[in-house]
Amino acid sequence: MASGTLLYAQSGGVTAVINATASAVIEAARARKVKVLAARNGILGALREELIDTSKESAAAIRALAHTPGGAFGSCRVKLKSLQQDRARYERLLDVLRAHDVRWFLYNGGNDSADTALKVSQLAAEFGYPLTCVGVPKTVDNDLAVTDCCPGFGSAAKYTAVSVRECALDVAAMADTSTKVFVYEAMGRHAGWLAAAAGLAGDGENAAPHLILFPERPYDEADFFAKVKATVERVGYCVVVASEGIQTRDGKFVADAGGGKDSFGHTQLGGVASFLAGRVKDALGYKVHWALPDYLQRSARHLASKTDVEQAQAVGRKAVEFALKGMNAVMPVIVRTSDAPYRWKVEAAPLSKIANHEKKMPANFLRKDGYGITPAARRYLEPLIRGEAPPPFGRDGLPKYVTLKNVAVTRKLPPFAG
Amino acid sequence: MASGTLLYAQSGGVTAVINATASAVIEAARARKVKVLAARNGILGALREELIDTSKESAAAIRALAHTPGGAFGSCRVKLKSLQQDRARYERLLDVLRAHDVRWFLYNGGNDSADTALKVSQLAAEFGYPLTCVGVPKTVDNDLAVTDCCPGFGSAAKYTAVSVRECALDVAAMADTSTKVFVYEAMGRHAGWLAAAAGLAGDGENAAPHLILFPERPYDEADFFAKVKATVERVGYCVVVASEGIQTRDGKFVADAGGGKDSFGHTQLGGVASFLAGRVKDALGYKVHWALPDYLQRSARHLASKTDVEQAQAVGRKAVEFALKGMNAVMPVIVRTSDAPYRWKVEAAPLSKIANHEKKMPANFLRKDGYGITPAARRYLEPLIRGEAPPPFGRDGLPKYVTLKNVAVTRKLPPFAG
């Protein structure tokens, strides 16, 4: 039995498989007789000394965690600033780690979390406190550097491709007398990874989605309208997938143009799809529908990608392995060794190469006209949505998701007002 | 081999399982050596003499139709008026049926379609043309009279309950520092059946969905705000499910209040969830997200209810059986014989009892406070979402949906300008 405790925390937007990572972390640590605490609501729980004793959870509950979406211990949207600016909070963090004999800190999140884990490791070294910090990748945005892909993305991508394929069949059936243009809004504020995944729903000029709008290309309304019109005239209908983050040529978010106040002076939380739908209806006169799946796309564990689940679990296991080996300030990343057959492995990469970097979509993934994806993009994306890993369903027709007991660890420190 | 042809047409909004009905109709007719034509785009195809020869489809394709969403032959939103007002169209319909020796007409749709099938049968009798008309039930709105439930509803209900359960886990994980109120918009312009189904996602005061807004109850903003606030303070977050058709006390659709033009004078296709989200944000200051699944909820064949698929196929088979027996102007309806264990059978009901009627949700399905469902509603709804019937998925991670050849039958009549 290794001496000391492992602290695991979830950070940022949760996904359909971040709990699969948590499950793998806890199971790997248990196999090595290492005690695992989890921070409630991510880094906040570590600052507030709100820690959860995962040893109170049964083996069955931890196994069920692997098929439960959301973030079982709570996550948060908090970014610590630089060591200088947020010194007090970093020191508090170290105090809490020390108070609970935490020797391994696993932070499961995106760029910001990698940065926080890196800074905590630097501070621990400065104070001579023996701590191994490991970042664990997670984000539906697929924008982490170094890793070939990010756990969470594959399942959201599968949800997107399947949903677009399904609703396109609905639109096709009704187009003669009803909706002719359908707009599906995909997450992706800075990069169009999920919108690109929608491209897997069909291939060829007449297959839905007919037009994809990427944040990587400026939104040109006149050109878009012309393409919508041409598609409706050629195919009978037009399925559009729009990234929430598309921008005009002068760098303004299109969604903001549609937001603001409505005629009653109330905040109208528009979104891109709603805005585009209104514009297309006004300009072209077509009946338009749109969908905004929002959190559904990142929590749809019922439609998870098996590849994604396996990778989420693999990075969790490897994170524990790296931590216990004392590999400090690293992240287990996914390395693709072959497209066909798809092969991958997990390696360690330094957090310094990942923290605060953002992976953009390669330029050769976007079709020249800017409205679709290339064969290179398909080669990259397709393996990530491959395989099904449905949760068990109950007699009641609903997936059986677990709720943990989340038993609090007794506090050892005074409260922190930070 | 029976003499004559069977004509099958799909009508109104399509569902995840209307093709399962089509598949059953064609298989049942083939087993009896009866030729099946399908109308392209519903009744329009019958008027335009755009008919599809289903004998050109392989047995495998017809089998695959059972797990393919959308409407394989096309549907339409066209309601014929009374025999007096739309005489020319009814007569044209009869001409087309006669020209193709159609002796059995199966019309797969909702109230309006039942009405059309009834009128066609009356006109055929008037002209002495031997025709058997059978309505086949279908609608995600679950508002057909006589039948215990409507094929298509169970799958949309399952999609709704599963999606709400999943996104609620996401919201719960993030609520400490992010979204506190989430609004999910469910279809249902006149009756809150799908919103009610969301209630299956959880049970008890603190389980999501915390508040359901039904079109059956007037929307009272002050009361709603108070309930949202109390829920956030008690639970930490609040998941709201809103029927698209909720109305204020004076009978105005809430969605219309949020629609209209944005500050740029453009049409803003708001929807109820977007409107409520904006109002809650303004009034209570919470971070709010919302989802509008739109057509996704009625095309999500990947998450179909097994009960629903079985019932969709059963009404298709029975429709053929009734038609060939000469049972005119009837519809196969689902009769529930037991809640627990859930048992049902299919019987014939006269179209006259179904045409133009609308089944409302029973008053005892709504909780007294108007924001949730009762045990009676659960007893009714739960069996309808029971069981999984996923489509086969390909190596590419996507469901394998079939596209039919839809070979046109040679026209025998001059075009119709109606």
Side-chain angles (χ1 to χ4, degrees):
Chain A
M1 185 174 182
S3 166
T5 296
L6 184 148
L7 178 68
Y8 168 81
Q10 302 180 323
S11 178
V14 294
T15 76
V17 301
I18 186 171
N19 283 337
T21 299
S23 169
V25 163
I26 295 168
E27 289 184 345
R30 283 186 178 186
R32 290 168 170 84
K33 313 269 189 232
V34 171
K35 183 177 174 185
V36 177
L37 301 183
R40 189 183 295 274
N41 296 323
I43 204 73
L44 284 179
L47 288 166
R48 297 168 177 162
E49 204 192 356
E50 292 177 358
L51 305 178
I52 292 160
D53 183 355
T54 70
S55 72
K56 307 294 186 192
E57 311 294 342
S58 69
I62 298 305
R63 216 166 29 243
L65 201 54
H67 63 247
T68 299
F73 309 111
S75 184
C76 69
R77 291 210 176 279
V78 170
K79 179 173 163 52
L80 295 193
K81 295 178 188 149
S82 71
L83 274 172
Q84 288 79 357
Q85 289 174 285
D86 247 343
R87 186 87 187 176
R89 298 220 276 181
Y90 283 104
E91 290 187 0
R92 162 73 177 188
L93 212 49
L94 220 52
D95 287 344
V96 173
L97 299 182
R98 196 185 281 117
H100 292 274
D101 195 25
V102 171
R103 298 304 169 117
W104 307 283
F105 175 48
L106 267 52
Y107 203 27
N108 199 173
N111 315 316
D112 293 350
S113 317
D115 182 59
T116 299
L118 180 60
K119 292 211 169 66
V120 171
S121 78
Q122 290 165 350
L123 197 71
E126 192 184 316
F127 280 80
Y129 178 67
L131 179 73
T132 303
C133 293
V134 173
V136 195
K138 170 247 54 163
T139 170
V140 297
D141 294 335
N142 204 39
D143 61 356
L144 285 178
V146 187
T147 189
D148 180 67
C149 60
C150 302
F153 171 69
S155 294
K158 187 180 183 97
Y159 174 92
T160 304
V162 172
S163 297
V164 169
R165 175 172 284 191
E166 289 181 333
C167 66
L169 289 172
D170 189 304
V171 176
M174 305 295 299
D176 191 72
T177 53
S178 184
T179 298
K180 287 206 165 38
V181 179
F182 183 79
V183 186
Y184 176 104
E185 180 166 337
M187 281 183 165
R189 194 83 178 150
H190 305 295
W193 287 106
L194 282 175
L200 297 175
D203 201 358
E205 190 188 31
N206 293 339
H210 306 97
L211 301 170
I212 305 178
L213 300 175
F214 297 98
E216 285 82 359
R217 296 293 177 97
Y219 170 68
D220 177 333
E221 187 165 86
D223 190 57
F224 173 61
F225 284 172
K227 291 239 168 6
V228 169
K229 190 161 184 282
T231 307
V232 172
E233 287 170 1
R234 195 178 71 246
V235 184
Y237 62 99
C238 181
V239 174
V240 178
V241 173
S243 277
E244 59 179 334
I246 56 168
Q247 298 168 28
T248 52
R249 199 163 291 278
D250 53 359
K252 286 186 186 143
F253 282 114
V254 171
D256 292 347
K261 304 283 178 181
D262 69 12
S263 45
F264 295 81
H266 302 141
T267 303
Q268 192 67 28
L269 301 172
V272 161
S274 157
F275 177 75
L276 294 176
R279 293 292 294 142
V280 165
K281 191 183 173 201
D282 280 352
L284 303 177
Y286 296 130
K287 182 171 177 189
V288 185
H289 260 240
W290 86 99
L292 174 68
D294 196 61
Y295 293 155
L296 275 58
Q297 71 201 280
R298 70 180 199 194
S299 61
R301 181 62 183 80
H302 75 271
L303 193 54
S305 145
K306 187 158 183 276
T307 302
D308 191 32
V309 173
E310 287 172 355
Q311 292 179 340
Q313 293 176 308
V315 296
R317 280 190 300 270
K318 280 285 185 182
V320 172
E321 183 190 316
F322 293 165
L324 297 186
K325 279 185 184 162
M327 295 166 68
N328 191 31
V330 300
M331 177 181 275
V333 295
I334 292 152
V335 178
R336 182 185 299 225
T337 56
S338 162
D339 276 332
Y342 177 56
R343 291 191 206 281
W344 55 275
K345 59 182 177 180
V346 177
E347 287 185 351
L351 284 178
S352 58
K353 287 197 174 174
I354 296 157
N356 299 316
H357 288 79
E358 193 177 70
K359 184 168 73 179
K360 294 281 183 188
M361 205 155 37
N364 72 339
F365 278 19
L366 296 196
R367 222 166 52 196
K368 266 198 185 143
D369 73 357
Y371 293 98
I373 59 171
T374 60
R378 287 177 194 279
R379 272 196 303 279
Y380 169 78
L381 292 166
E382 194 266 308
L384 307 184
I385 70 164
R386 205 178 278 164
E388 292 68 56
F393 277 71
R395 271 279 296 156
D396 61 359
L398 288 162
K400 289 164 89 166
Y401 295 140
V402 72
T403 304
L404 298 184
K405 289 182 274 187
N406 282 355
V407 176
V409 174
T410 307
R411 280 200 173 83
K412 301 184 176 185
L413 298 176
F416 174 67
Chain B
M1 184 175 181
S3 166
T5 296
L6 184 150
L7 179 66
Y8 169 80
Q10 302 179 324
S11 177
V14 294
T15 77
V17 301
I18 187 172
N19 284 337
T21 299
S23 168
V25 163
I26 294 168
E27 289 185 345
R30 282 185 178 186
R32 290 167 171 84
K33 313 273 189 229
V34 170
K35 183 177 173 185
V36 178
L37 301 183
R40 188 182 297 274
N41 297 323
I43 204 73
L44 284 178
L47 289 167
R48 296 168 177 162
E49 204 192 355
E50 291 177 356
L51 305 178
I52 292 160
D53 183 356
T54 70
S55 71
K56 306 293 185 192
E57 311 294 342
S58 70
I62 298 304
R63 215 164 30 243
L65 201 53
H67 64 247
T68 299
F73 309 110
S75 185
C76 69
R77 289 211 179 278
V78 170
K79 178 172 162 55
L80 295 193
K81 294 176 191 150
S82 69
L83 274 172
Q84 288 77 357
Q85 288 174 286
D86 246 345
R87 185 87 188 176
R89 298 219 275 180
Y90 284 104
E91 290 186 1
R92 163 70 177 191
L93 212 49
L94 219 53
D95 287 345
V96 172
L97 299 182
R98 197 185 281 117
H100 293 273
D101 195 26
V102 172
R103 298 305 171 117
W104 307 284
F105 174 48
L106 266 53
Y107 203 27
N108 200 173
N111 314 317
D112 292 352
S113 316
D115 182 59
T116 300
L118 180 61
K119 291 212 170 65
V120 171
S121 79
Q122 291 165 347
L123 196 71
E126 191 184 317
F127 280 81
Y129 177 68
L131 180 73
T132 303
C133 293
V134 174
V136 195
K138 170 246 57 165
T139 171
V140 298
D141 294 333
N142 204 38
D143 61 355
L144 284 178
V146 187
T147 189
D148 180 68
C149 60
C150 302
F153 171 69
S155 294
K158 188 181 183 98
Y159 174 93
T160 304
V162 172
S163 297
V164 168
R165 174 171 285 190
E166 290 181 332
C167 65
L169 290 171
D170 189 302
V171 176
M174 306 295 298
D176 191 72
T177 54
S178 183
T179 299
K180 286 204 166 38
V181 180
F182 184 79
V183 187
Y184 177 104
E185 180 166 336
M187 282 184 166
R189 195 85 177 149
H190 306 293
W193 287 106
L194 282 175
L200 297 174
D203 201 358
E205 192 189 29
N206 292 339
H210 306 96
L211 302 170
I212 305 179
L213 300 175
F214 297 98
E216 285 82 359
R217 295 292 177 98
Y219 171 68
D220 177 333
E221 189 165 83
D223 190 58
F224 173 62
F225 285 173
K227 291 238 167 9
V228 169
K229 189 160 183 283
T231 306
V232 171
E233 287 169 2
R234 193 179 72 246
V235 185
Y237 62 99
C238 181
V239 174
V240 178
V241 173
S243 276
E244 60 179 334
I246 56 168
Q247 298 168 29
T248 52
R249 202 164 287 279
D250 54 358
K252 285 184 186 148
F253 282 114
V254 171
D256 292 347
K261 304 283 177 179
D262 69 11
S263 46
F264 296 80
H266 302 143
T267 303
Q268 192 67 26
L269 301 174
V272 162
S274 158
F275 177 75
L276 294 176
R279 294 291 294 140
V280 166
K281 189 183 175 202
D282 281 352
L284 304 176
Y286 295 132
K287 181 171 178 189
V288 186
H289 260 241
W290 86 100
L292 174 69
D294 197 61
Y295 293 155
L296 274 60
Q297 70 200 281
R298 69 180 200 194
S299 61
R301 182 60 185 81
H302 75 270
L303 194 53
S305 146
K306 188 158 183 277
T307 303
D308 191 33
V309 172
E310 287 172 356
Q311 293 180 339
Q313 293 176 308
V315 296
R317 280 191 299 269
K318 279 287 184 180
V320 171
E321 183 189 315
F322 293 166
L324 297 186
K325 278 185 183 163
M327 294 165 69
N328 191 31
V330 300
M331 176 181 274
V333 294
I334 293 153
V335 178
R336 182 185 300 224
T337 56
S338 162
D339 275 333
Y342 178 55
R343 292 192 206 283
W344 55 276
K345 59 183 178 179
V346 177
E347 287 184 352
L351 285 177
S352 59
K353 287 196 174 172
I354 297 157
N356 298 316
H357 288 80
E358 194 178 69
K359 184 169 72 179
K360 294 281 181 188
M361 207 157 32
N364 72 339
F365 278 20
L366 296 195
R367 222 166 53 197
K368 266 199 185 141
D369 73 357
Y371 292 99
I373 60 171
T374 60
R378 288 179 193 277
R379 273 195 302 279
Y380 169 79
L381 291 166
E382 194 265 307
L384 307 184
I385 71 164
R386 204 179 279 163
E388 292 67 56
F393 278 71
R395 271 280 296 157
D396 61 0
L398 289 163
K400 289 164 87 166
Y401 295 140
V402 70
T403 304
L404 299 183
K405 287 183 276 186
N406 281 356
V407 177
V409 173
T410 308
R411 281 202 175 81
K412 299 184 177 184
L413 298 175
F416 174 66

